Amino acid sequence: MLSLFFHSGLYTQSQIIFSRSAGGLNTGETPDLMVYDTQTNSATLLFKGSVRKRGEYGAAVSPDGSKLIVNTYKFGGWKLGIADFKNGEISNLEKFTKRRNYEYNPSWSHDGEKVAYEEYNRIENDTDIFIADKSGNSISRLTQSDGVDRSPAWTRNNKEIVFTSGRADNYEIYIQSSSGRESKNLTNHKSNDFAPSTSSENEKIAFLSDRGGLINLYTMNYDGSSMHCLTENLTSDRVIYNGYETTGYWAYKTTWSPDGKQIAFNVMFGNNLEIFLIDSDGSNLKQLTNNQDSDFCPFWKNEH
């Protein structure tokens, strides 16, 4: 059995997996997988990036805690790799699908039976969302729009998928049935709304928006109602948008705690990406990382 990395502590509801690379984002440094323990307020290395200047990021753990899917360059180009994950030990990393296109941003359904992800077709120069079963087979295409569709997240009942799309002149948050083609724009704003995530405990969506030039965390209902900014007092770095990848929006994520009471997210703060934590009602904002590195793509692991 090939053991890729080991962390001696047991993973609980306090564990947030994220990626860290030295210096600024998009500078070519190799991202490592890290874990932050909210009980001890400490971050430790999980896995040293396997491919120089590529590394691993965007990890997502299955609801039962037994599998981990991650963006990796180990299989030639950006692909999704799936591995066994038990008591902090990762083993048997394999390519998730047999498809040739680049793959990003895996999202487990809340019942653990399916995985939604985005696929970049280099020939068509387009990105759309696909759905696979938990073994990486039985793949179907969810979206096919004029703009790129990214960052899927399943609704609580596993019947719809929330995602961000650049099919308009900017990025908006959409919702679409996992078995249908009709989608609904939930945000309808001239800003860029992105990095959606959903809670398994309530029918809420968290997302980031650059409204006013500062990136803040918002929540809303599945139908776009009751939208609230949770971080009005957070003075993140002002961002001049010049493209999704160039600006670094690809590295921004939101993630709910398993009990639905907190949200972790990352924003540019002090000239680098840092991870923050806040209660879902907008109270108790806390900065988790504070360094000269880029900390990005947080994912809150279920308790097992």
Side-chain angles (χ1 to χ4, degrees):
M1 179 181 290
L2 174 63
S3 179
L4 295 180
F5 61 76
F6 179 78
H7 177 62
S8 59
L10 293 177
Y11 289 89
T12 68
Q13 187 164 300
S14 64
Q15 303 285 346
I16 299 171
I17 298 174
F18 68 100
S19 292
R20 171 176 288 171
S21 61
L25 192 69
N26 291 335
T27 58
E29 298 298 332
T30 305
D32 304 320
L33 284 180
M34 309 287 295
V35 62
Y36 187 94
D37 191 315
T38 61
Q39 300 301 308
T40 62
N41 296 318
S42 61
T44 55
L45 177 69
L46 287 180
F47 179 50
K48 195 71 177 172
S50 63
V51 178
R52 185 173 178 269
K53 295 185 179 296
R54 295 295 187 270
E56 276 73 27
Y57 72 94
V61 182
S62 61
D64 67 2
S66 67
K67 295 288 184 178
L68 180 145
I69 298 181
V70 66
N71 279 107
T72 181
Y73 218 79
K74 287 179 66 68
F75 305 111
W78 288 113
K79 302 291 183 180
L80 297 181
I82 187 169
D84 296 329
F85 191 34
K86 185 177 181 180
N87 295 329
E89 184 179 0
I90 288 182
S91 59
N92 303 322
L93 180 67
E94 299 175 344
K95 189 178 177 183
F96 181 57
T97 78
K98 296 180 176 64
R99 296 173 67 84
R100 296 182 178 181
N101 293 328
Y102 281 13
E103 301 163 335
Y104 307 89
N105 287 328
S107 173
W108 292 89
S109 59
H110 293 289
D111 61 6
E113 293 300 313
K114 295 182 179 180
V115 176
Y117 67 96
E118 64 184 66
E119 184 176 294
Y120 172 62
N121 187 314
R122 287 171 288 177
I123 296 176
E124 299 177 1
N125 191 29
D126 192 23
T127 301
D128 288 295
I129 293 171
F130 288 73
I131 299 174
D133 65 23
K134 62 183 179 181
S135 299
N137 301 311
S138 302
I139 298 171
S140 61
R141 185 173 188 166
L142 178 70
T143 66
Q144 188 170 9
S145 68
D146 293 334
V148 295
D149 301 322
R150 307 175 184 264
S151 303
W154 296 81
T155 55
R156 186 184 181 190
N157 62 7
N158 304 306
K159 293 182 178 180
E160 297 169 296
I161 291 178
V162 178
F163 60 97
T164 186
S165 176
R167 62 186 66 179
D169 292 334
N170 57 304
Y171 280 86
E172 305 273 10
I173 305 296
Y174 291 78
I175 191 169
Q176 181 172 323
S177 168
S178 60
S179 60
R181 294 295 180 186
E182 294 297 322
S183 60
K184 177 183 178 182
N185 187 336
L186 299 181
T187 46
N188 287 298
H189 195 277
K190 62 182 180 181
S191 66
N192 291 294
D193 302 314
F194 55 101
S197 65
T198 57
S199 169
S200 61
E201 294 298 315
N202 54 63
E203 297 185 351
K204 290 285 187 178
I205 300 167
F207 67 98
L208 297 173
S209 179
D210 61 8
R211 303 176 188 208
L214 300 179
I215 294 178
N216 279 288
L217 176 69
Y218 291 76
T219 59
M220 63 181 171
N221 295 330
Y222 285 172
D223 61 1
S225 63
S226 298
M227 186 179 298
H228 298 290
C229 177
L230 301 188
T231 54
E232 291 179 345
N233 296 323
L234 174 62
T235 307
S236 60
D237 293 355
R238 186 167 294 277
V239 177
I240 299 176
Y241 182 82
N242 61 349
Y244 200 86
E245 282 82 8
T246 303
T247 305
Y249 282 14
W250 63 270
Y252 289 76
K253 292 283 186 178
T254 63
T255 179
W256 292 78
S257 63
D259 62 8
K261 294 180 179 180
Q262 294 176 297
I263 304 168
F265 63 100
N266 64 309
V267 294
M268 191 69 70
F269 189 80
N271 297 317
N272 51 32
L273 287 173
E274 303 287 4
I275 296 176
F276 290 79
L277 179 64
I278 194 169
D279 290 353
S280 58
D281 63 1
S283 62
N284 298 319
L285 177 65
K286 179 181 179 181
Q287 184 174 348
L288 299 187
T289 63
N290 186 6
N291 52 58
Q292 298 303 310
D293 300 325
S294 292
D295 298 315
F296 56 101
C297 290
F299 178 88
W300 208 314
K301 183 186 178 297
N302 285 340
E303 183 176 2
H304 288 284

